[in-house]
Amino acid sequence: MLWVAIIGLVATGVALALAGRRVAFLSRLATSGQPAPERLRYARENVGAEIKAQVVEVFGQKKLLKWTPSGTAHFFVMWAFFILATVYLEAYGALVQGAITGEPDFHIPLIGTWPVLGFLQDFIAVAALAGLVAFAAIRVKNSPKRLGRGSRFSGSHLGGAWLVLFMIFNVIWTLFLFRGASINTGNFPYRSGAFASELTARILPTSTLLEEIGLLLHIGVMLVFLVIVVNSKHLHIFTAPLNVLFSRRPDGLGAVPEMRSNGKVLDFEEADPEVDVFGRGKIEDTTWKGFLDFYTCTECGRCQSQCPAWNTGKPLSPKMLILDQRDHAFQVAPYLLAGDAQKDSYPQDVLALLEKPLVGEEGVIHPDVLWSCTNCGACVEQCPVDIEHIDHIIDMRRYQVMIESSFPSEAGVMLKNLENKGNPWGLPEGKRAEWIEELASREVDPIEVTMVDDKMPEDVEYLFWVGCAGALEDRARKTTKAVAELLHIAGVRFAVLGPMEACTGDPARRLGMEFVFDMLARQNIETLNEAGVRKIVATCPHCFNTLANEYPQLGGHFEVVHHTQLLAHLVEAGKLTPVTPIEEKITYHDPCFLGRHNKVYAQPRDIMATVPGVRTQEMHRCKERGFCCGAGGARMWMEERIGKRINTERVDEALTTDPDTVSTACPFCLVMLGDAINEKKNTGQAKETLEVVDVAQLLIKSVKGEPVASGPAGR
């Protein structure tokens, strides 16, 4: 048995040295990037939330189990790694004890002969084997050779995935070989419970040599697997818990992280482009958390399968965005870690690789990939290991916009309008009050809307943040007036800023122009604070998200609700009573910045459920899997020239429910879906009576018994 111990321990030392060398390299590469002290600080200050995340996401596999077949298979394979660690403890114990005493009958102290443990070890090994079969079937069924872009594995390193499945299979069969042989020689610690090992023992001869070979094979396979794992995509076995630990809470959606340079929040008044880092222009500008994202990507393609850009023929795959950066980082790593002193000795091809831009026609990421993103958050929502794809995209956009001045030309008009007029359309600020005049001048039931002059009146509870679209876009104005009237009927005192209101800065920030966002946000925060505003209701999910989640970064702390949340509360409280039936079949479209980014799914549906006569029909993709309208990420102000239009794809899906009305709760969605519906009407693919309306318009129609007025065509 001594020779077995020598071989096993020497092999272990070699494998650990190789794995350790790789881990040291990965660590040095990650820490060569930008610091991210906020990640460490949050983890320290929110221990309870981080423990919960580890229990729910890592051990409980919550995100993976959203996809039941593959999630269940992964659950058992993952737990096999934990539970079968006890088998390896027994194997090494047998190795050492056999060398010392000649009797490899080692068992774990206290629990080592407990039949329940033997059963659990065998059960999880068999379950993992079944999981491998499921994985193989899923990969064959979803092979890119069969499905092309339709496969979530398109672009993944398929050979590496099959190799890992093969290695896990080797772990399992060598486990049963070793344990079965141990049973026959009398060295097995469990007298019962280990059902699969006992079955294996029946077909094996009694042989000490076979037991020793089985022991070495089992340990050897594990050691080879370890070396493969730290050099492959399955590195996530070790990095996923870390990535979850240092991810943003409650998730990587909602607010865009502050712009940082060298770990500190960038002060635009003191910033120096020659010294400070503006976004991400080269791979070294990535933070260590960004590198951790690279290491953790499992290449499962869940993000890709849900991405509206990828699903409509555009080049953006969130998965490939991460993998392309990872592959480039590994290519240049030896030279980055060597330092600048050796650059003079590098050949031209190496220098060209080092100087390769992160974004560009010949860069790591093509501009069409970068600008296809709608910031819908489907990728972040679906990622089982908490990769924050949007953060990567925003950082690269920041560099392109603020340093390279390279972005779609039509978005430049929007930025100029934001700077000069405070709204994306460049309309005079006085037009923000036109809807107020329209309500006040109605012949029937005129409504006087209070406009903040200097301070919020004491008897006013909410500031109604109307937003640029709600004040200036014809279709969105109908929502604004409906909400104002509903609040008036419910007796809720509210006021508006009118011409003093400016764009929240969301389009600028999502485009990457952080400076313009900073300017607009500080201006609005100052206005709100001077007016004494504490509670805000907003109809636009983009405004809602920015006011609630991003303004606190600049000191703007307000209680912000979306109009559907407030209206649902007023209906529940009996202050609004839908009475007139609306005999229509309605399908609801979840706005991304209301749903995925802020988890508001129930209230819009609750409102519709209270309206008599309404029959609701969900689209196939809804709630957390809802499909984007195409307007987010500043895409509202960019032309869609590649592939199928996202709003057309969404309306095609809505039409499969044969609705009388499409409802939503966002002015951007209202415009985008309305445009697509009008196109369908023009080609005879949609009935002429089909309209898209806000849920507030449905509610006012039922409360007052008045028809919902349709908006004009055009954008």
Side-chain angles (χ1 to χ4, degrees), residues 450-458 495 500 528-533:
T450 302
M451 194 180 306
V452 175
D453 183 17
D454 183 24
K455 290 284 186 180
M456 285 273 285
E458 291 185 3
M500 289 197 301
L528 292 168
N529 284 337
E530 288 181 354
V533 173

Side-chain angles (χ1 to χ4, degrees), residues 65-281:
L65 288 170
K66 288 180 179 179
W67 296 41
T68 306
S70 59
T72 303
H74 192 279
F75 179 87
F76 285 115
V77 172
M78 183 273 298
W79 271 99
F81 277 92
F82 295 135
I83 296 172
L84 296 185
T86 60
V87 175
Y88 277 104
L89 180 57
E90 292 170 348
Y92 273 99
L95 195 74
V96 174
Q97 184 169 306
I100 296 173
T101 66
E103 297 294 333
D105 57 347
F106 174 83
H107 63 82
I108 301 171
L110 300 179
I111 63 170
T113 59
W114 192 27
V116 173
L117 179 58
F119 170 80
L120 188 59
Q121 291 169 336
D122 273 23
F123 169 78
I124 202 65
V126 171
L129 189 60
L132 295 184
V133 174
F135 283 148
I138 289 169
R139 288 191 168 274
V140 170
K141 180 182 177 182
N142 295 282
S143 170
K145 291 182 179 179
R146 293 180 60 248
L147 302 179
R149 282 177 64 97
S151 168
R152 62 186 176 98
F153 300 119
S154 176
S156 297
H157 297 83
L158 302 178
W162 284 109
L163 174 60
V164 167
L165 292 183
F166 177 65
M167 291 306 299
I168 298 174
F169 170 71
N170 287 334
V171 167
I172 294 172
W173 77 258
T174 57
L175 175 146
F176 287 129
L177 174 64
F178 160 57
R179 286 161 70 87
S182 297
I183 290 174
N184 288 339
T185 60
N187 292 321
F188 195 59
Y190 308 102
R191 298 297 170 238
S192 63
F195 62 97
S197 297
E198 290 171 359
L199 288 174
T200 306
R202 293 180 184 178
I203 62 174
L204 294 178
T206 301
S207 169
T208 301
L209 179 62
L210 183 61
E211 179 186 9
E212 294 171 343
I213 291 173
L215 175 60
L216 283 179
L217 281 174
H218 190 49
I219 290 175
V221 164
M222 180 271 290
L223 295 175
V224 172
F225 190 23
L226 173 64
V227 175
I228 290 174
V229 162
V230 296
N231 285 275
S232 73
K233 78 181 187 70
H234 273 72
L235 181 64
H236 76 268
I237 292 172
F238 302 114
T239 59
L242 293 174
N243 212 45
V244 170
L245 174 65
F246 296 118
S247 62
R248 294 195 280 124
R249 295 280 165 240
D251 55 36
L253 298 171
V256 168
E258 298 158 293
M259 191 167 174
R260 293 175 176 269
S261 176
N262 299 311
K264 298 179 181 178
V265 177
L266 197 63
D267 185 338
F268 286 103
E269 294 184 0
E270 300 179 0
D272 181 357
E274 298 296 324
V275 177
D276 289 305
V277 176
F278 281 68
R280 191 182 304 176

Side-chain angles (χ1 to χ4, degrees), residues 336-347:
L336 290 180
L337 298 178
D340 294 335
Q342 297 185 26
K343 276 190 176 181
D344 293 340
S345 62
Y346 292 157

Side-chain angles (χ1 to χ4, degrees), residues 587-591 662-666 669-670 673 692-696:
T587 189
Y588 175 72
H589 163 78
D590 286 284
V662 177
S663 68
T664 188
C666 170
C669 297
L670 200 68
L673 299 181
V692 55
V693 299
D694 190 281
V695 291

